Amino acid sequence: MACHIPRLVSLLKKKHFLCCISAVALKRMLNFNAPPLKNTAAEPVWKVLIYDRFGQDIISPLLSVKELRDMGITLHLLLHSDRDPIPDVPAIYFVMPTEENIDRICQDLRNQLYESYYLNFISAISRSKLEDIASAALAANAVTQVTKVFDQYLNFITLEDDMFILCHQNKELISYHAINRADIQDTDMEAIMDTIVDSLFCFFVTLGAVPIIRCPRGNAAEMVAVKLDKKLRENLRDARNSLFTGDSMTAGQFSFQRPLFVLVDRNVDMATPLHHTWTYQALIHDVLDFHLNRVVMEEGMGAEPSAGARPKKKSRKTYDLTAADKFWQKHKGSPFPEVAESVQEELDTYRAQEDEVKRLKSIMGLEGEDEGAISMLSDNTAKLTSAVSSLPELLEKKRLIDLHTNVATAVLDHIKSRKLDVYFEFEEKLMSKSTLDKSLLDIISDPDAGTPEDKMRLFLIYYITAQQAPSESDLEQYKKALLDAVCDLSPLNYIKQWKAFTKMAATPANYGNSGVKPMGLFSRVMNTGSQFVMEGVKNLVLKQHNLPVTRILDNLMEMKSHPETDDYRYFDPKMLRGSESSIPRNKNPFQEAIVFVVGGGNYIEYQNLVDYTKSKQGKKIVYGCSELFNASQFIKQLSQLGQK
Amino acid sequence: MAVDITLLFKASVKTVKTRNKAIGIGFDSTKDEIFKRSRPKSGFSPRAKEVITNITKLKDFLLQHRKDYVSAGSLISSDLSRMTDNDRDQIDQDAQIFMRTCSEAIKQLRNEAEKQVISAQIKEHRGAVLDLIETYLKGVCKLYSEQRAIRVKRMFEQENQRLISEMNSLVDEVRQIEGKVVEISRLQEIFAEKVLQQEAEIDNIHQLVVGATENVKEGNEDIREAIKNNAGFRVWILFFLVMCSFSLLFLDWYDS
């Protein structure tokens, strides 16, 4: 185990952080839990990978099918599918230790499906379930075949270098709705908290650090913090089985300082999940079908076809947006017009390179005919070899450009048809309390602008960010306009309750002074040949501002005093006495932090944190949430809550 | 980090065993083990593993002799480690034959796997296994081709060196010749100059000679004239004398 420590430390120094740690852990597991050899052209060892849906969600953002193949995985199958016996192959299992999974594993053992079994459980398996497997193995006389059993502590999904979510399957069990519904029982809440804490515990085990926990008082986040603190404390006290001891992980791994773990509840900021957005990744999540770094689109899809048109046959295309896609990594946080421009630039560079290769090809074809060509040959041989070797790169580049062209075109269609730029601008103004140049009623009553959901979102943001509640008559007016626009008003009921509740609590969330400067009403029309003609779409420039979550993090990380965060609780699992004090012992600003939103998060918050990190040198911030939803999913949850 | 609970599992197995013994359930372990041992010997997997071991042998062989193969061979190193070009060609040939046999074996396995009636999953698995073996073979072939590229490159380098030294010596010779030619041309220039000078003088002489010839001619003429004159005068003198003599004689006679 100790041999991989220097490598991990050097990995941490790189920019890529969480992805690397999780991917390294997965790769070790897939190499039969031995450190992978760096030997080029090592003998291939083949194996079969069996996972359940949880395992699949964990693996798919980190390793592509090709990478699995390169590691020797010949088949990857779902646990609960029909699997044929392949008697001369070792099988690696990566599953959650649930009842049905254990039953299925026992069944596999009885049916003698594979030669040897390497069982890896995503979170820790209980002793009794282990005994179930043991007895099944004994019955099938397969005890020697069960070669290794591991607890992987990987019960979370890493989406980006600095972002993770808890789960994708069964996320309604720990959704915002599940936590905040009125008819929730104590036992239900306990179960939800246990699930969340288990995943967070796995996260910290994988990270190899014991954090300092800060959380607000009086909500779900506090419950999670208390439970997590208790769990970490118990584990640290248990000297024999502690997962945080010095030789299994490097104590000084985190630059001699422990990370800060900030737990917040979704209720601290309800406007951001409803907000319309303008950055690329967040737009894709809002407007298209985007899960686990995968976009599913129908070709020829865009705005809804008009009512009378016959829907033409649409084919579904799936695109993976991965860490290897340099364009994506560079532009996922950029404002959309910039993205459109960059795609055009990339296309032009690609065409230039393609022409270069073609020219070289034609020159080589003139061998012996042209005096000039012959003298150029020697110079071009080197160019040609480099062109040939860069051909797969070029093809890959083309594929990515096509991918982004399609995706961006689909997004642009949505923007144009729903006038999302108008909504974005208006909401930014609402959230920063600047003066509005249009009335809310106008936008709601405008039949061309946006779907009913968009209008509802806008109105909810208005309601949430208003200093004083609108008067009854105004409210009736708005309600009528919304009903005319075919909106569902049940989310409003819930938001009213929420607003009343938060008014009793601390000061309402302040969205900071943002500013949105439109760069002229009609953005410059792109030159001919461009596919992204954005006339009529405002070219809005985002000014940097901090969302509530970012502000909270800033206060806590930099040890600033602020009424909002001053009475946050403080937990340090490493301290001997369970101290309940709110006085932080540490006076220095933190260098690493993890922000976790209980109740759900979205890409807008993530992007805001990323921008904040960029402005601070040398700080690492990881964003996590219990589930990832876009605005329409969140509105559905709010409707359900409002209908009760 | 992952926690190895294999020992815990083994402990659980023991617990279950003792528990079952206590309850009275036993398991017939011996029969199944013998049954398990009789696995098909010429199945897909052993053959695939065989191909892999062969490829590994090739790889080890190539790596073992790599240093010698690639070494430039200085004058100081002993002759034992130096490889002749013949050896190298031999290695190349052997490696190529080997690689060809391996890829044939892989193709054969693939065809057989296609023909066999087995489930889709096993087919996919075997296809993927063969792909892995092929990738491995390609990796080893790459080792070989890199080695060979270095050798061929060195060969070209040597030839380059040789050509360069040849060209250098040619250049020297040409320079020498150039010097000589320059020398010759200079001398020729002087020669031409002198010749020109002499031409002038010769012209002069020619003129003089022509003049002299003329003078001599005229002199000859004059001398001929003179001789003629002389002869004529002589004749008159002679006549006069003769006449005088005759007159004398006459006078003499007259007188007598």
Side-chain angles (χ1 to χ4, degrees), chain A residues 1 41-44 46 69 74-75 82-85 87-89 131 141 146-147 149-152 205-206 243 249, chain B residues 1-6 9 12-13 16 19 29 32 36 39 45 52 56 59 119 121-122 124-125 128-129 132 136:
Chain A
M1 272 261 212
E43 263 189 37
W46 49 81
R69 279 278 153 89
T74 56
L75 283 179
D82 290 324
R83 279 173 288 118
D84 304 316
D88 43 9
V89 157
E131 284 182 7
N141 205 14
V146 177
T147 320
V149 183
F150 267 82
D151 282 336
Q152 287 291 340
V205 170
T206 307
L243 300 159
M249 35 212 59
Chain B
M1 297 294 143
V3 174
D4 189 350
I5 51 175
T6 316
F9 175 71
S12 312
V13 168
V16 173
R19 199 190 311 146
S29 52
D32 295 318
K36 245 188 280 164
R39 262 185 232 250
S45 175
I52 290 192
T56 313
K59 178 178 89 158
S119 72
Q121 281 182 4
I122 300 189
E124 197 186 323
H125 162 73
V129 167
L132 280 172
Y136 183 46

Short mmCIF file of all heavy atoms in Angstrom, two decimals, chain A residues 1 41-44 46 69 74-75 82-85 87-89 131 141 146-147 149-152 205-206 243 249, chain B residues 1-6 9 12-13 16 19 29 32 36 39 45 52 56 59 119 121-122 124-125 128-129 132 136:
data_model
loop_
_atom_site.label_atom_id
_atom_site.label_comp_id
_atom_site.label_asym_id
_atom_site.label_seq_id
_atom_site.Cartn_x
_atom_site.Cartn_y
_atom_site.Cartn_z
N MET A 1 0.85 -1.21 0.00
CA MET A 1 0.00 0.00 0.00
C MET A 1 0.87 1.25 0.00
O MET A 1 0.53 2.25 -0.58
CB MET A 1 -0.87 0.04 1.25
CG MET A 1 -2.16 -0.66 1.09
SD MET A 1 -3.47 0.51 0.74
CE MET A 1 -4.82 -0.30 1.53
N ALA A 41 3.83 -2.34 -22.38
CA ALA A 41 3.73 -3.68 -22.94
C ALA A 41 3.89 -4.74 -21.86
O ALA A 41 4.74 -5.63 -21.94
CB ALA A 41 4.77 -3.89 -24.05
N ALA A 42 3.03 -4.61 -20.85
CA ALA A 42 2.99 -5.68 -19.85
C ALA A 42 2.01 -6.72 -20.34
O ALA A 42 1.13 -6.46 -21.13
CB ALA A 42 2.54 -5.11 -18.52
N GLU A 43 2.20 -7.93 -19.80
CA GLU A 43 1.32 -9.00 -20.24
C GLU A 43 -0.13 -8.70 -19.93
O GLU A 43 -0.44 -8.28 -18.82
CB GLU A 43 1.70 -10.28 -19.50
CG GLU A 43 2.61 -11.17 -20.28
CD GLU A 43 2.77 -12.51 -19.60
OE1 GLU A 43 1.79 -12.99 -19.03
OE2 GLU A 43 3.89 -13.02 -19.64
N PRO A 44 -1.03 -8.92 -20.87
CA PRO A 44 -2.43 -8.64 -20.57
C PRO A 44 -3.01 -9.72 -19.67
O PRO A 44 -2.74 -10.91 -19.84
CB PRO A 44 -3.10 -8.67 -21.95
CG PRO A 44 -2.24 -9.52 -22.78
CD PRO A 44 -0.84 -9.39 -22.26
N TRP A 46 -6.80 -10.78 -18.45
CA TRP A 46 -8.17 -10.39 -18.70
C TRP A 46 -9.07 -10.73 -17.53
O TRP A 46 -8.81 -11.64 -16.75
CB TRP A 46 -8.68 -11.03 -19.99
CG TRP A 46 -8.42 -12.48 -20.10
CD1 TRP A 46 -9.11 -13.50 -19.55
CD2 TRP A 46 -7.36 -13.08 -20.84
NE1 TRP A 46 -8.56 -14.69 -19.91
CE2 TRP A 46 -7.49 -14.47 -20.70
CE3 TRP A 46 -6.32 -12.56 -21.63
CZ2 TRP A 46 -6.61 -15.35 -21.31
CZ3 TRP A 46 -5.45 -13.45 -22.23
CH2 TRP A 46 -5.61 -14.82 -22.06
N ARG A 69 -11.24 -1.42 -21.39
CA ARG A 69 -10.65 -2.46 -22.23
C ARG A 69 -9.14 -2.48 -22.08
O ARG A 69 -8.53 -3.54 -22.01
CB ARG A 69 -11.00 -2.18 -23.70
CG ARG A 69 -12.36 -2.62 -24.13
CD ARG A 69 -12.37 -4.08 -24.46
NE ARG A 69 -13.68 -4.67 -24.27
CZ ARG A 69 -14.62 -4.72 -25.18
NH1 ARG A 69 -14.41 -4.22 -26.37
NH2 ARG A 69 -15.78 -5.27 -24.91
N THR A 74 -12.70 -7.51 -20.27
CA THR A 74 -13.27 -7.92 -21.55
C THR A 74 -14.77 -7.72 -21.58
O THR A 74 -15.34 -7.40 -22.61
CB THR A 74 -12.96 -9.39 -21.82
OG1 THR A 74 -13.45 -10.14 -20.72
CG2 THR A 74 -11.48 -9.60 -21.97
N LEU A 75 -15.42 -7.94 -20.46
CA LEU A 75 -16.87 -7.76 -20.41
C LEU A 75 -17.22 -6.96 -19.18
O LEU A 75 -16.64 -7.13 -18.12
CB LEU A 75 -17.57 -9.12 -20.26
CG LEU A 75 -17.70 -10.03 -21.47
CD1 LEU A 75 -18.41 -11.29 -21.03
CD2 LEU A 75 -18.47 -9.37 -22.56
N ASP A 82 -28.82 -11.42 -16.99
CA ASP A 82 -28.50 -12.82 -17.24
C ASP A 82 -27.05 -12.93 -17.63
O ASP A 82 -26.63 -12.34 -18.62
CB ASP A 82 -29.37 -13.35 -18.40
CG ASP A 82 -30.81 -13.46 -17.95
OD1 ASP A 82 -31.02 -13.81 -16.79
OD2 ASP A 82 -31.69 -13.16 -18.78
N ARG A 83 -26.33 -13.69 -16.85
CA ARG A 83 -24.92 -13.81 -17.17
C ARG A 83 -24.58 -15.26 -17.40
O ARG A 83 -24.96 -16.13 -16.62
CB ARG A 83 -24.08 -13.22 -16.03
CG ARG A 83 -24.01 -11.70 -16.13
CD ARG A 83 -23.33 -11.04 -14.97
NE ARG A 83 -24.12 -11.08 -13.77
CZ ARG A 83 -23.74 -11.69 -12.67
NH1 ARG A 83 -22.58 -12.34 -12.65
NH2 ARG A 83 -24.48 -11.67 -11.60
N ASP A 84 -23.83 -15.48 -18.47
CA ASP A 84 -23.45 -16.86 -18.77
C ASP A 84 -22.17 -17.20 -18.03
O ASP A 84 -21.36 -16.34 -17.76
CB ASP A 84 -23.21 -17.01 -20.28
CG ASP A 84 -24.41 -16.59 -21.07
OD1 ASP A 84 -25.52 -16.97 -20.67
OD2 ASP A 84 -24.23 -15.87 -22.05
N PRO A 85 -22.02 -18.49 -17.75
CA PRO A 85 -20.78 -18.89 -17.08
C PRO A 85 -19.59 -18.77 -18.02
O PRO A 85 -19.64 -19.20 -19.16
CB PRO A 85 -21.03 -20.35 -16.69
CG PRO A 85 -22.18 -20.79 -17.50
CD PRO A 85 -22.96 -19.60 -17.90
N PRO A 87 -15.98 -19.94 -17.43
CA PRO A 87 -15.32 -20.64 -16.33
C PRO A 87 -13.83 -20.39 -16.17
O PRO A 87 -13.24 -20.89 -15.24
CB PRO A 87 -15.58 -22.11 -16.66
CG PRO A 87 -15.85 -22.16 -18.09
CD PRO A 87 -16.41 -20.86 -18.49
N ASP A 88 -13.19 -19.63 -17.05
CA ASP A 88 -11.74 -19.51 -16.86
C ASP A 88 -11.32 -18.07 -16.71
O ASP A 88 -10.24 -17.68 -17.14
CB ASP A 88 -11.03 -20.15 -18.06
CG ASP A 88 -11.71 -19.75 -19.36
OD1 ASP A 88 -12.60 -18.86 -19.33
OD2 ASP A 88 -11.38 -20.33 -20.40
N VAL A 89 -12.19 -17.29 -16.11
CA VAL A 89 -11.90 -15.86 -16.05
C VAL A 89 -12.14 -15.35 -14.63
O VAL A 89 -13.14 -15.71 -14.01
CB VAL A 89 -12.82 -15.12 -17.04
CG1 VAL A 89 -12.98 -13.68 -16.66
CG2 VAL A 89 -12.27 -15.23 -18.43
N GLU A 131 -21.18 -12.97 6.47
CA GLU A 131 -21.37 -14.37 6.81
C GLU A 131 -22.32 -15.05 5.83
O GLU A 131 -22.16 -16.23 5.52
CB GLU A 131 -21.91 -14.49 8.24
CG GLU A 131 -20.82 -14.25 9.24
CD GLU A 131 -21.29 -14.42 10.67
OE1 GLU A 131 -22.44 -14.86 10.85
OE2 GLU A 131 -20.53 -14.09 11.57
N ASN A 141 -18.86 -24.80 -2.20
CA ASN A 141 -17.48 -25.24 -2.17
C ASN A 141 -16.58 -24.31 -2.97
O ASN A 141 -15.72 -24.75 -3.72
CB ASN A 141 -17.39 -26.67 -2.72
CG ASN A 141 -16.19 -27.36 -2.17
OD1 ASN A 141 -15.58 -26.89 -1.20
ND2 ASN A 141 -15.83 -28.47 -2.77
N VAL A 146 -13.12 -17.39 -3.80
CA VAL A 146 -13.26 -15.99 -3.39
C VAL A 146 -11.89 -15.51 -2.96
O VAL A 146 -11.46 -15.71 -1.83
CB VAL A 146 -14.28 -15.87 -2.24
CG1 VAL A 146 -14.36 -14.43 -1.79
CG2 VAL A 146 -15.63 -16.38 -2.68
N THR A 147 -11.22 -14.87 -3.90
CA THR A 147 -9.81 -14.55 -3.67
C THR A 147 -9.63 -13.35 -2.75
O THR A 147 -8.81 -13.36 -1.87
CB THR A 147 -9.13 -14.25 -5.01
OG1 THR A 147 -9.62 -15.15 -5.97
CG2 THR A 147 -7.64 -14.36 -4.90
N VAL A 149 -11.72 -9.86 -0.74
CA VAL A 149 -12.90 -9.07 -0.44
C VAL A 149 -12.44 -7.71 0.05
O VAL A 149 -11.57 -7.62 0.91
CB VAL A 149 -13.76 -9.76 0.64
CG1 VAL A 149 -15.03 -8.97 0.87
CG2 VAL A 149 -14.08 -11.18 0.24
N PHE A 150 -12.98 -6.65 -0.54
CA PHE A 150 -12.53 -5.31 -0.17
C PHE A 150 -13.71 -4.39 0.13
O PHE A 150 -14.77 -4.50 -0.49
CB PHE A 150 -11.76 -4.68 -1.34
CG PHE A 150 -10.29 -4.90 -1.28
CD1 PHE A 150 -9.74 -6.09 -1.72
CD2 PHE A 150 -9.45 -3.94 -0.78
CE1 PHE A 150 -8.39 -6.30 -1.66
CE2 PHE A 150 -8.09 -4.14 -0.72
CZ PHE A 150 -7.56 -5.33 -1.16
N ASP A 151 -13.52 -3.48 1.05
CA ASP A 151 -14.45 -2.35 1.19
C ASP A 151 -13.80 -1.17 0.51
O ASP A 151 -12.75 -0.70 0.93
CB ASP A 151 -14.64 -1.99 2.68
CG ASP A 151 -15.58 -2.95 3.38
OD1 ASP A 151 -16.40 -3.57 2.69
OD2 ASP A 151 -15.46 -3.06 4.60
N GLN A 152 -14.42 -0.70 -0.57
CA GLN A 152 -13.75 0.33 -1.35
C GLN A 152 -13.99 1.75 -0.85
O GLN A 152 -13.23 2.64 -1.17
CB GLN A 152 -14.20 0.24 -2.82
CG GLN A 152 -13.65 -0.94 -3.58
CD GLN A 152 -12.16 -0.82 -3.82
OE1 GLN A 152 -11.58 0.26 -3.77
NE2 GLN A 152 -11.52 -1.94 -4.06
N VAL A 205 -12.73 9.13 3.60
CA VAL A 205 -11.77 8.02 3.64
C VAL A 205 -10.96 7.99 2.36
O VAL A 205 -9.74 7.84 2.39
CB VAL A 205 -12.52 6.68 3.83
CG1 VAL A 205 -11.59 5.52 3.63
CG2 VAL A 205 -13.13 6.61 5.20
N THR A 206 -11.64 8.15 1.23
CA THR A 206 -10.92 8.15 -0.04
C THR A 206 -9.97 9.34 -0.14
O THR A 206 -8.86 9.21 -0.64
CB THR A 206 -11.92 8.23 -1.21
OG1 THR A 206 -12.87 7.21 -1.04
CG2 THR A 206 -11.22 8.07 -2.52
N LEU A 243 -9.30 4.05 9.66
CA LEU A 243 -9.00 4.22 8.23
C LEU A 243 -8.13 5.41 7.97
O LEU A 243 -7.81 5.72 6.84
CB LEU A 243 -10.32 4.38 7.47
CG LEU A 243 -11.26 3.19 7.63
CD1 LEU A 243 -12.67 3.61 7.31
CD2 LEU A 243 -10.83 2.11 6.68
N MET A 249 -2.53 6.14 4.84
CA MET A 249 -2.59 7.38 4.08
C MET A 249 -1.53 8.32 4.60
O MET A 249 -1.02 8.15 5.67
CB MET A 249 -3.96 8.04 4.19
CG MET A 249 -4.63 7.90 5.47
SD MET A 249 -6.37 7.84 5.15
CE MET A 249 -6.39 6.44 4.09
N MET B 1 -9.47 5.07 1.46
CA MET B 1 -8.76 4.02 0.75
C MET B 1 -9.42 2.68 0.97
O MET B 1 -10.14 2.49 1.94
CB MET B 1 -7.32 3.93 1.27
CG MET B 1 -6.56 5.18 1.02
SD MET B 1 -6.33 5.43 -0.72
CE MET B 1 -6.50 7.16 -0.80
N ALA B 2 -9.18 1.75 0.08
CA ALA B 2 -9.85 0.45 0.18
C ALA B 2 -9.30 -0.34 1.35
O ALA B 2 -8.10 -0.29 1.65
CB ALA B 2 -9.63 -0.30 -1.11
N VAL B 3 -10.18 -1.04 1.98
CA VAL B 3 -9.79 -1.84 3.14
C VAL B 3 -9.92 -3.30 2.78
O VAL B 3 -10.96 -3.74 2.31
CB VAL B 3 -10.69 -1.51 4.34
CG1 VAL B 3 -10.37 -2.42 5.49
CG2 VAL B 3 -10.49 -0.07 4.74
N ASP B 4 -8.84 -4.05 2.99
CA ASP B 4 -8.86 -5.47 2.65
C ASP B 4 -9.52 -6.24 3.78
O ASP B 4 -8.97 -6.33 4.88
CB ASP B 4 -7.41 -5.93 2.44
CG ASP B 4 -7.34 -7.32 1.87
OD1 ASP B 4 -8.40 -7.99 1.82
OD2 ASP B 4 -6.26 -7.74 1.47
N ILE B 5 -10.70 -6.78 3.50
CA ILE B 5 -11.36 -7.55 4.56
C ILE B 5 -11.38 -9.04 4.22
O ILE B 5 -12.27 -9.77 4.65
CB ILE B 5 -12.78 -7.03 4.82
CG1 ILE B 5 -13.58 -6.91 3.51
CG2 ILE B 5 -12.74 -5.67 5.47
CD1 ILE B 5 -15.01 -6.51 3.75
N THR B 6 -10.41 -9.45 3.40
CA THR B 6 -10.37 -10.88 3.05
C THR B 6 -10.20 -11.75 4.29
O THR B 6 -10.84 -12.80 4.42
CB THR B 6 -9.20 -11.15 2.09
OG1 THR B 6 -9.17 -10.12 1.10
CG2 THR B 6 -9.37 -12.47 1.39
N PHE B 9 -13.32 -12.11 6.00
CA PHE B 9 -14.16 -13.07 5.28
C PHE B 9 -13.78 -14.49 5.64
O PHE B 9 -14.64 -15.33 5.92
CB PHE B 9 -14.02 -12.82 3.78
CG PHE B 9 -14.75 -13.81 2.93
CD1 PHE B 9 -16.13 -13.79 2.87
CD2 PHE B 9 -14.07 -14.78 2.20
CE1 PHE B 9 -16.81 -14.71 2.09
CE2 PHE B 9 -14.75 -15.69 1.43
CZ PHE B 9 -16.12 -15.66 1.38
N SER B 12 -15.09 -15.28 8.85
CA SER B 12 -16.53 -15.56 8.79
C SER B 12 -16.77 -16.97 8.29
O SER B 12 -17.67 -17.67 8.77
CB SER B 12 -17.23 -14.59 7.84
OG SER B 12 -16.86 -13.30 8.10
N VAL B 13 -15.97 -17.39 7.31
CA VAL B 13 -16.12 -18.76 6.79
C VAL B 13 -15.93 -19.77 7.89
O VAL B 13 -16.70 -20.73 8.04
CB VAL B 13 -15.12 -19.00 5.64
CG1 VAL B 13 -15.05 -20.46 5.29
CG2 VAL B 13 -15.49 -18.19 4.43
N VAL B 16 -18.90 -19.80 10.18
CA VAL B 16 -20.05 -20.49 9.60
C VAL B 16 -19.83 -22.00 9.63
O VAL B 16 -20.74 -22.79 9.91
CB VAL B 16 -20.30 -19.99 8.15
CG1 VAL B 16 -21.38 -20.81 7.48
CG2 VAL B 16 -20.68 -18.54 8.16
N ARG B 19 -20.36 -23.23 13.01
CA ARG B 19 -21.79 -23.17 13.32
C ARG B 19 -22.53 -24.32 12.65
O ARG B 19 -23.37 -24.97 13.24
CB ARG B 19 -22.38 -21.84 12.85
CG ARG B 19 -23.69 -21.56 13.56
CD ARG B 19 -24.43 -20.39 12.97
NE ARG B 19 -23.62 -19.22 12.79
CZ ARG B 19 -23.78 -18.36 11.78
NH1 ARG B 19 -24.72 -18.56 10.91
NH2 ARG B 19 -22.99 -17.32 11.67
N SER B 29 -17.15 -32.07 0.37
CA SER B 29 -16.24 -31.17 -0.33
C SER B 29 -15.38 -31.89 -1.34
O SER B 29 -14.98 -31.33 -2.34
CB SER B 29 -15.35 -30.45 0.69
OG SER B 29 -14.77 -31.44 1.52
N ASP B 32 -16.66 -32.50 -5.29
CA ASP B 32 -16.69 -31.36 -6.21
C ASP B 32 -15.30 -30.92 -6.63
O ASP B 32 -15.09 -30.49 -7.75
CB ASP B 32 -17.38 -30.17 -5.53
CG ASP B 32 -18.84 -30.51 -5.28
OD1 ASP B 32 -19.45 -31.10 -6.18
OD2 ASP B 32 -19.34 -30.19 -4.19
N LYS B 36 -13.93 -30.43 -10.30
CA LYS B 36 -13.43 -29.14 -10.81
C LYS B 36 -12.10 -29.27 -11.50
O LYS B 36 -11.78 -28.55 -12.42
CB LYS B 36 -13.28 -28.17 -9.64
CG LYS B 36 -14.22 -26.99 -9.75
CD LYS B 36 -13.93 -25.96 -8.72
CE LYS B 36 -14.54 -26.39 -7.42
NZ LYS B 36 -14.04 -25.71 -6.28
N ARG B 39 -10.59 -29.86 -15.88
CA ARG B 39 -10.98 -28.82 -16.83
C ARG B 39 -10.47 -29.15 -18.21
O ARG B 39 -9.47 -29.82 -18.36
CB ARG B 39 -10.36 -27.50 -16.40
CG ARG B 39 -11.39 -26.73 -15.64
CD ARG B 39 -10.90 -25.41 -15.30
NE ARG B 39 -11.13 -25.29 -13.86
CZ ARG B 39 -12.02 -24.49 -13.35
NH1 ARG B 39 -12.70 -23.76 -14.09
NH2 ARG B 39 -12.20 -24.43 -12.07
N SER B 45 -8.94 -20.79 -23.21
CA SER B 45 -8.08 -20.00 -22.32
C SER B 45 -6.64 -20.49 -22.25
O SER B 45 -5.72 -19.69 -22.37
CB SER B 45 -8.72 -19.98 -20.93
OG SER B 45 -7.88 -19.34 -20.04
N ILE B 52 0.25 -15.88 -25.28
CA ILE B 52 0.82 -14.78 -24.50
C ILE B 52 2.21 -15.11 -24.01
O ILE B 52 3.13 -14.28 -24.05
CB ILE B 52 -0.10 -14.42 -23.32
CG1 ILE B 52 -1.36 -13.76 -23.85
CG2 ILE B 52 0.59 -13.51 -22.36
CD1 ILE B 52 -2.18 -13.13 -22.80
N THR B 56 5.58 -13.12 -24.73
CA THR B 56 6.46 -12.63 -23.66
C THR B 56 7.88 -13.12 -23.88
O THR B 56 8.83 -12.39 -23.63
CB THR B 56 5.95 -13.12 -22.30
OG1 THR B 56 4.56 -12.90 -22.24
CG2 THR B 56 6.64 -12.42 -21.17
N LYS B 59 9.43 -10.95 -26.31
CA LYS B 59 9.74 -9.64 -25.73
C LYS B 59 11.00 -9.72 -24.89
O LYS B 59 11.89 -8.88 -24.99
CB LYS B 59 8.55 -9.18 -24.88
CG LYS B 59 8.78 -7.86 -24.21
CD LYS B 59 7.57 -7.44 -23.45
CE LYS B 59 7.68 -8.01 -22.06
NZ LYS B 59 6.90 -7.31 -21.09
N SER B 119 -22.43 -18.90 -26.11
CA SER B 119 -23.30 -17.77 -25.82
C SER B 119 -22.65 -16.46 -26.27
O SER B 119 -21.44 -16.38 -26.45
CB SER B 119 -23.56 -17.70 -24.32
OG SER B 119 -22.38 -17.27 -23.68
N GLN B 121 -22.20 -13.71 -24.69
CA GLN B 121 -21.27 -13.08 -23.75
C GLN B 121 -19.89 -13.69 -23.87
O GLN B 121 -18.88 -13.00 -23.88
CB GLN B 121 -21.78 -13.26 -22.31
CG GLN B 121 -22.86 -12.27 -22.00
CD GLN B 121 -23.33 -12.40 -20.57
OE1 GLN B 121 -22.78 -13.19 -19.79
NE2 GLN B 121 -24.34 -11.66 -20.22
N ILE B 122 -19.87 -15.03 -23.97
CA ILE B 122 -18.56 -15.68 -24.06
C ILE B 122 -17.89 -15.27 -25.36
O ILE B 122 -16.68 -15.04 -25.41
CB ILE B 122 -18.69 -17.21 -23.96
CG1 ILE B 122 -19.33 -17.59 -22.65
CG2 ILE B 122 -17.35 -17.87 -24.11
CD1 ILE B 122 -19.31 -19.06 -22.35
N GLU B 124 -18.23 -12.45 -26.93
CA GLU B 124 -17.71 -11.08 -26.77
C GLU B 124 -16.44 -11.11 -25.94
O GLU B 124 -15.45 -10.45 -26.24
CB GLU B 124 -18.77 -10.23 -26.08
CG GLU B 124 -18.54 -8.75 -26.23
CD GLU B 124 -19.53 -7.96 -25.41
OE1 GLU B 124 -20.69 -8.41 -25.34
OE2 GLU B 124 -19.14 -6.95 -24.85
N HIS B 125 -16.50 -11.93 -24.87
CA HIS B 125 -15.33 -12.02 -23.98
C HIS B 125 -14.12 -12.50 -24.75
O HIS B 125 -13.03 -11.94 -24.65
CB HIS B 125 -15.67 -12.96 -22.83
CG HIS B 125 -14.50 -13.47 -22.10
ND1 HIS B 125 -13.76 -12.71 -21.26
CD2 HIS B 125 -13.90 -14.70 -22.11
CE1 HIS B 125 -12.77 -13.42 -20.75
NE2 HIS B 125 -12.83 -14.64 -21.25
N ALA B 128 -12.78 -9.93 -27.06
CA ALA B 128 -12.01 -8.91 -26.34
C ALA B 128 -10.66 -9.46 -25.90
O ALA B 128 -9.64 -8.75 -25.95
CB ALA B 128 -12.80 -8.44 -25.13
N VAL B 129 -10.62 -10.72 -25.47
CA VAL B 129 -9.35 -11.32 -25.07
C VAL B 129 -8.37 -11.31 -26.24
O VAL B 129 -7.21 -10.95 -26.11
CB VAL B 129 -9.56 -12.77 -24.56
CG1 VAL B 129 -8.25 -13.49 -24.45
CG2 VAL B 129 -10.27 -12.76 -23.23
N LEU B 132 -7.02 -7.98 -26.85
CA LEU B 132 -5.96 -7.65 -25.88
C LEU B 132 -4.64 -8.29 -26.29
O LEU B 132 -3.58 -7.65 -26.23
CB LEU B 132 -6.34 -8.16 -24.49
CG LEU B 132 -7.32 -7.30 -23.69
CD1 LEU B 132 -7.72 -8.04 -22.44
CD2 LEU B 132 -6.70 -5.98 -23.32
N TYR B 136 -1.12 -6.49 -27.29
CA TYR B 136 0.15 -6.84 -26.64
C TYR B 136 1.19 -7.15 -27.71
O TYR B 136 2.33 -6.67 -27.64
CB TYR B 136 -0.09 -8.04 -25.74
CG TYR B 136 1.10 -8.50 -24.94
CD1 TYR B 136 1.90 -7.61 -24.26
CD2 TYR B 136 1.41 -9.85 -24.86
CE1 TYR B 136 2.98 -8.05 -23.52
CE2 TYR B 136 2.48 -10.30 -24.13
CZ TYR B 136 3.27 -9.39 -23.47
OH TYR B 136 4.33 -9.83 -22.74
#
